[in-house]
Structures are given as C-alpha cells and as structure tokens.
Amino acid sequence: MATAIITGSGLYTPKDIISNQALVNSLNQFVEQYQAKYHTEIAAGTMPALEPSDPDFIEKASGIKNRYVIDKKGILDPNRLCPQIPQRSPDEISVQAEMALHALEPALAEAQLKGSDIDTVICAASVMQRGYPSMSVEIQHHLGAKGSALDLQMACSSATFGLQVINSLIQSGAAKKIVMVNPEICSAHLDYSNRDSHFIFGDACTAMVIEAHENQSGFRILSTQCQTQYSNNIRNEFGFLNRIEAGRDPKHPPFFTQQGRKVFKEVSSLAAEHLANHCQQHQLLPAQLKRFWLHQANATMNQLILKKLLETEPNAYQAPLVLDNYANTSSAGCVIAFHTHKTDFEAGEKGLLCSFGAGYSIGSALLEKC
Ligand code: CO8
C-alpha cells in the first residue's frame, strides 16, 4: 500500500489587514447613525437596537488582534460594512481560483513539482464561489494539471476531511501527485453590523502537495480520523434556494450565525476526546507528540482542549496560534499553523493537525516527519 507524504505547503495572505480597533470604529460609527435614524422605531420595538463593539472584549474573548481580508475599504465603510470586489467576466480567472494559484506557487516549489506533474486537484473550502463549473476544475485548468479534480465542502474541517480523501486515493493507487487548496473568503458571509460576530473571521488560502512516494522528504500521513455530529449551533442559510423562499428578502442574504458559548463548550469536549482517541489508536501518549496544529477559532478554546489532553498547560511551541493575526480562516486555519510551524521537525517527530467547526465536524491527521 502506498504512503501519502505532504511534500509541500503554501499560504496566500490578502494584502489588506484590519485591526480590532479599526473594525470597531466602523461598526460603532454605523451603530451611532442607525440609533439616530431609527430611535422612534427602536423605542417602539419595531426595529432592533444595535450594540457597540469593543476591541478589548474581542481580544479577551477570542485572542484575535487582526485579520486579513480581500477588501478592507468596503468592510470599514460604515455606509457599506461589506467587502466589495469587481465583477469578473467568465473569461477571467475567478477570485477563489486566483487565491488558490497564489497559495500553490510556494507549495509546488517546495515539492519541486510543476502544475503539469499533478494528477488530482482538490478544492476544499467552506463555501464555493459558484455552483459550476467546479472551482477545482478551473484551478486544474490554470495549473495545467492532468487527471481529475474535485470540490469538497465540510466548513472548518474541509482541509482535514480533504486529507482523509487524499490519503485513501494515494493508498489505493488511484492518484500519485495531489494538490489540495483551501481558498476561504469568510468576510463575504459576515454581518459586519453585528457585534457578536463581526470580528470572528478573516480571509486566506492554504495549499498542500501530497505525493505517493516512499523516499520523499516531508510529512508522512500516518492516519486520518473524521467525525461528524449534527448541530444547528453554527449555521449559514446562504444557498441557491434563497431567491425562491417565500418571505426571504432578496436584498438581505443570510449571514453566518452561531451560539458561540454552546459551540465553545460542546466542541472543546468533542475535540479533546477526538484527539485522545486518535493518539490512542497509535498507542501514543499526547505528550509524545511534538506539536498540535489546531483549528484557529478561539485561543482559550485551544488552550482548554490541550489542557484536557496533556493534563498540563500547553505552551506556544506545542500549539502555535495564528488566529491573533489571521482570525478564524475556517479550513485554512490549521493548515496556516502547520505551514508556518513545521521547519523545526526532525525525522521521526510527530504532530497532529486538527480542525473542528460547523456540522459539527472534527477531522485530524497524524503526521510524521520523514
Ligand atoms: N463587544 C462588546 N461586547 C460584546 C461583543 C463585542 N464585540 N460581542 C458580544 N458582546 C457581549 C455580549 O452581548 C454578552 O453580553 P451580556 O453578557 O450582557 O449578554 C457578552 O459580551 C458575552 O458574550 P458571549 O457570551 O457571546 O461571549 P463569549 O465569551 O462566548 O465569546 C466568542 C464569544 C468569541 C464568539 C466565543 O463564544 C467563541 O469563540 N466560541 C467558539 C466559536 C467557534 O469555535 N466557532 C466555530 C465557528 S467557525 C466554523 O465552523 C466555520 C464555519 C464556516 C465559516 C464560513 C464563513 C463565515
């Protein structure tokens, strides 16, 4: 049976960055204008009152300080509170495919491969830009890759669930050189007038090259584990049926919503249990692993999960945080942590890549440096 080895990784970071303070300034300005305009309706209870946000709350509650986005100007404009991108014609490359190609460049360079060497392209992300043609097929085309392509969606766990598919494709001999990309444009689905969620997400794209090759250096995938458990606590109603749903205002597309407290509590326990089981499957103690590249949603959540697992306070070396700068980039988060914290591994050292989020979905991949 062939072994899957991650031989390259890459990251594309949009150039626009927004600090908590800048984000809060624009929301608070919007709230002030809104309260002044609708004070009669708010007093009569026919329109909701909006609350101002606070940069100290954001950092304390989540650990987030900044986020990268595809368009800062639109988000920070209090009269818009939404990113804006120019419309592109079908002859131009789409935004998600463009992000993917940027992220693939360093990943392919590290693997010392060209696009034409690739036989399978997987685009794994929370949301795809359109129904069809599939994003992965467009990326395959621009890459000059052969074989086939596949889109895969499992919210925050799209990358780890993607790795499980890739591991099986390589082990079965169905593919030999695969690329996976995770172009996440989370800012498009956020209600920037809602203080409960306006700070949570950022945009980024990650990429990985995975090869069937015994003697290649990189990170060997020892095993993958995925689990799902239905929950409405993280939800996004956006979809192709919106325009035909009676009572839905087409001018107001649905946004991301969540019961943050419930998610925190329920997912922390599920993720700790999942990671413990994955270690146990290999007769490994969690402390024997060099690193946990965890999903990047909440700093305290990650600390809690690892404290349960390691039975001691984890340090930044064991579980690196990237959410302070990137915020939650959905499926790209744990791959950013991996990409930016992998060079100090010696042959034989092991680490666990793990995501957890909407679905609920939890996925992990046990990796060994080779
Ligand atoms: N400023 C000031 N006060 C605030 C703010 C703010 N911005 N926001 C909330 N408050 C207030 C609340 O109103 C509340 O006030 P009160 O006590 O008077 O009711 C108080 O602060 C406490 O609010 P919360 O209970 O909501 O605060 P928490 O301590 O729970 O922190 C978090 C909120 C940070 C959201 C936290 O609950 C959290 O991180 N939970 C985990 C969330 C998580 O992991 N979610 C994963 C979702 S992502 C995912 O699965 C991918 C989906 C795909 C994404 C696609 C693109 C969108």
Side-chain angles (χ1 to χ4, degrees):
M1 191 163 67
T3 306
I5 298 176
I6 300 169
T7 54
S9 63
L11 167 64
Y12 168 69
T13 304
K15 62 174 176 25
D16 282 4
I17 184 166
I18 304 181
S19 67
N20 288 343
Q21 187 65 59
L23 197 66
V24 165
N25 288 350
S26 76
L27 169 59
N28 289 357
Q29 211 180 321
F30 172 82
V31 169
E32 225 171 86
Q33 289 167 4
Y34 173 94
Q35 314 283 41
K37 192 169 170 190
Y38 298 113
H39 62 94
T40 315
E41 291 86 345
I42 293 167
T46 53
M47 281 187 81
L50 292 180
E51 309 263 16
S53 188
D54 172 4
D56 294 336
F57 168 86
I58 296 173
E59 192 173 336
K60 193 159 173 278
S62 67
I64 297 165
K65 296 177 185 164
N66 297 297
R67 72 279 299 137
Y68 293 94
V69 290
I70 56 166
D71 176 50
K72 168 180 175 164
K73 198 164 160 249
I75 294 171
L76 293 184
D77 176 355
N79 298 312
R80 181 174 169 84
L81 293 187
C82 176
Q84 185 166 39
I85 56 170
Q87 199 178 5
R88 297 185 184 189
S89 82
D91 297 333
E92 291 174 277
I93 185 167
S94 59
V95 177
Q96 258 187 326
E98 191 173 61
M99 288 170 81
L101 291 179
H102 284 312
L104 276 167
E105 219 176 281
L108 286 168
E110 187 185 350
Q112 299 181 349
L113 292 177
K114 302 185 293 300
S116 55
D117 297 323
I118 301 303
D119 59 40
T120 308
V121 175
I122 294 190
C123 180
S126 293
V127 186
M128 299 297 159
Q129 184 169 340
R130 56 169 185 260
Y132 39 83
S134 295
M135 291 314 302
S136 54
V137 181
E138 187 184 355
I139 296 161
Q140 176 195 27
H141 165 73
H142 288 287
L143 208 54
K146 303 178 195 83
S148 64
L150 172 74
D151 282 3
L152 189 154
Q153 280 181 270
M154 188 44 86
C156 290
S157 292
S158 300
T160 51
F161 276 55
L163 280 180
Q164 184 167 61
V165 172
I166 289 166
N167 202 26
S168 307
L169 286 172
I170 286 188
Q171 284 179 344
S172 70
K176 290 200 161 34
K177 294 187 192 303
I178 304 180
V179 292
M180 173 176 69
V181 288
N182 320 104
E184 294 287 11
I185 311 178
C186 303
S187 63
H189 275 198
L190 262 195
D191 179 357
Y192 283 99
S193 71
N194 178 353
R195 75 167 181 174
D196 292 330
S197 59
H198 78 125
F199 58 88
I200 294 178
F201 291 100
D203 304 331
C205 180
T206 44
M208 276 184 175
V209 180
I210 305 101
E211 296 181 66
H213 206 308
E214 267 307 327
N215 304 318
Q216 201 91 338
S217 72
F219 283 84
R220 186 178 293 124
I221 301 178
L222 294 179
S223 70
T224 55
Q225 269 193 15
C226 294
Q227 80 178 87
T228 48
Q229 181 181 306
Y230 187 64
S231 166
N232 269 322
N233 291 334
I234 312 168
R235 207 168 165 91
N236 191 332
E237 296 281 348
F238 186 80
F240 79 106
L241 293 181
N242 291 159
R243 67 185 279 268
I244 64 165
E245 282 173 319
R248 174 94 61 191
D249 178 354
K251 282 200 188 123
H252 293 99
F255 289 117
F256 160 90
T257 56
Q258 73 165 350
Q259 306 289 326
R261 278 275 156 105
K262 277 193 186 166
V263 174
F264 188 106
K265 208 165 151 254
E266 294 173 5
V267 174
S268 300
S269 307
L270 282 172
E273 204 183 313
H274 178 101
L275 287 164
N277 286 340
H278 201 160
C279 291
Q280 208 172 22
Q281 192 199 321
H282 289 262
Q283 285 153 356
L284 283 167
L285 292 171
Q288 288 176 278
L289 302 190
K290 183 180 175 98
R291 190 151 297 150
F292 294 84
W293 300 284
L294 295 187
H295 179 52
Q296 303 286 315
N298 184 296
T300 316
M301 200 170 170
N302 286 11
Q303 275 228 310
L304 195 73
I305 291 168
L306 284 180
K307 206 172 155 189
K308 276 189 195 178
L309 203 64
L310 299 165
E311 294 171 353
T312 172
E313 285 292 338
N315 57 44
Y317 172 81
Q318 280 169 304
L321 270 191
V322 299
L323 64 85
D324 52 348
N325 245 333
Y326 279 86
N328 182 343
T329 54
S330 195
S331 69
C334 62
V335 187
I336 300 176
F338 169 76
H339 174 72
T340 53
H341 296 83
K342 65 171 188 177
T343 52
D344 59 339
F345 268 66
E346 304 284 345
E349 289 182 326
K350 297 178 185 66
L352 255 172
L353 183 82
C354 181
S355 64
F356 31 87
Y360 296 138
S361 58
I362 305 180
S364 56
L366 181 64
L367 309 179
E368 181 183 54
K369 177 71 186 158
C370 56

